[in-house]
Amino acid sequence: MSHISFACFSGISGDMCLGALVDALFFNLMAFDEALQLIRPFFQDGWDGPVSASGSAAQSQLLTCAGIAMGKSDKVNAQKLYERALLLTIEKGSSLSARANLSNLTSILRDRGKLGSADRLLALNLDLAEAIGDRQSVFIVSLALYVSARTRGSLELADEHWEKLDRLGRDWTRASYRAGGAEVARAYDLFWRGRLDQQKLTVTERLCRVSRSRRELCDCLTLRGQWHLARNEPELAIDPLNEALLAYREVGQEMASPEATLALAKLRAGRSIDAFRIARQLD
């Protein structure tokens, strides 16, 4: 899972209402295409052209928002937008903004399969976060390091990163971190290790519902379905998977993992499925 810094539009004079709307589209609705349409007028000469905003801070934030909105559909151009945003923050000497842009760049590199480059940037970003002395930055980077170690199967290192970030707490700005994000990552880790239990899953789901972040909630609901299926409880897996798919479809997204898991749960529960429709969706 990727962890993106969503701080957009703060400080763009006259566009705070637009910024709040874009943040809502990202966080609550996962409506990235709609957000991209709102941002497009600031790039009148195309995504490679100049940004129609006054000051490097506003330009960097718009580049970041455009990269986030484009990250699902065009990762190569999203990376270019993140790189431009990072250069602007470095030129301005804004260490905190540079740290956030490094996190975004690391995330897109990982999504593109460039794991070595992503890990090198993560190490650099942790050094920067610790040099700044900002606890929130250390938490965000430590979470990314935890996910990276877990993904590689370095479980002891992952546990070290988890203990570090867990001690830092969760009292962070909404623009940088959504409640439940770290817990979802940890719950998946525990599930793959065979150590996830009902209490941990319930607490994680409650956090995701309170935060109103659709992405984290959908991930948690999908995990609940997988967990019940692994426990040979296919009937109990169906409702959370249906809820996750409905939430995705409300914003025009089709997701293969919960769709396939739901079909398997229904088959194991003795229910009928439309195999041809599912196959077309998964194709």
Side-chain angles (χ1 to χ4, degrees):
M1 283 177 282
S2 301
H3 297 273
I4 300 245
S5 296
F6 285 96
C8 297
F9 291 96
S10 57
I12 300 180
S13 178
D15 291 298
M16 295 306 292
C17 290
L18 176 60
L21 177 57
V22 170
D23 281 346
L25 290 171
F26 286 154
F27 282 131
N28 300 339
L29 298 177
M30 296 170 60
F32 297 101
D33 290 341
E34 290 79 359
L36 199 60
Q37 293 307 311
L38 285 175
I39 299 167
R40 190 180 297 276
F42 293 96
F43 294 82
Q44 297 177 7
D45 296 325
W47 299 113
D48 293 331
V51 185
S52 300
S54 299
S56 59
Q59 292 169 10
S60 174
Q61 288 158 355
L62 281 162
L63 286 163
T64 297
C65 287
I68 294 168
M70 198 178 291
K72 298 295 182 183
S73 59
D74 189 346
K75 290 180 172 53
V76 173
N77 276 318
Q79 179 178 331
K80 292 178 180 178
L81 290 164
Y82 287 148
E83 288 169 350
R84 290 175 62 191
L86 176 60
L87 286 174
L88 284 173
T89 57
I90 292 174
E91 290 171 1
K92 187 186 176 186
S94 176
S95 299
L96 281 173
S97 296
R99 201 284 308 156
N101 281 310
L102 273 173
S103 287
N104 291 331
L105 188 54
T106 298
S107 177
I108 205 71
L109 285 170
R110 186 166 302 283
D111 287 347
R112 294 187 62 200
K114 299 180 181 295
L115 304 184
S117 296
D119 283 347
R120 286 191 291 274
L121 276 186
L122 271 178
L124 176 64
N125 209 7
L126 182 61
D127 288 342
L128 177 59
E130 291 177 338
I132 295 169
D134 180 66
R135 288 170 58 85
Q136 176 173 282
S137 293
V138 173
F139 173 86
I140 296 297
V141 180
S142 296
L143 177 56
L145 284 164
Y146 164 70
V147 172
S148 176
R150 181 203 67 186
T151 303
R152 295 196 313 270
S154 302
L155 300 185
E156 289 186 8
L157 180 59
D159 286 340
E160 290 177 12
H161 287 308
W162 177 260
E163 290 173 6
K164 178 178 181 178
L165 71 89
D166 202 31
R167 288 195 300 268
L168 291 169
R170 301 292 188 274
D171 188 20
W172 315 124
T173 63
R174 185 175 173 85
S176 295
Y177 175 74
R178 281 298 178 111
E183 282 68 28
V184 171
R186 184 61 169 172
Y188 268 97
D189 186 9
L190 294 175
F191 172 64
W192 291 325
R193 300 192 202 193
R195 292 165 43 194
L196 183 62
D197 57 35
Q198 177 72 265
Q199 181 182 6
K200 176 67 176 176
L201 195 50
T202 299
V203 170
T204 301
E205 184 178 331
R206 187 181 303 122
L207 284 170
C208 294
R209 291 189 185 279
V210 170
S211 74
R212 293 180 289 110
S213 179
R214 187 177 297 247
R215 181 181 61 181
E216 275 77 18
L217 178 58
C218 287
D219 284 344
C220 187
L221 289 169
T222 300
L223 175 59
R224 180 174 283 282
Q226 294 170 339
W227 181 74
H228 280 302
L229 200 55
R231 289 163 54 91
N232 198 28
E233 300 168 341
E235 281 288 351
L236 295 178
I238 292 172
D239 283 349
L241 290 167
N242 269 327
E243 185 180 352
L245 284 170
L246 177 60
Y248 281 126
R249 288 168 183 161
E250 285 174 347
V251 293
Q253 296 193 26
E254 297 290 340
M255 302 299 288
S257 177
E259 187 75 64
T261 307
L262 177 60
L264 182 59
K266 286 182 175 180
L267 283 174
R268 289 187 178 177
R271 300 194 190 185
S272 61
I273 63 171
D274 186 344
F276 288 106
R277 179 190 63 80
I278 295 170
R280 285 194 298 270
Q281 286 180 326
L282 298 179
D283 186 6

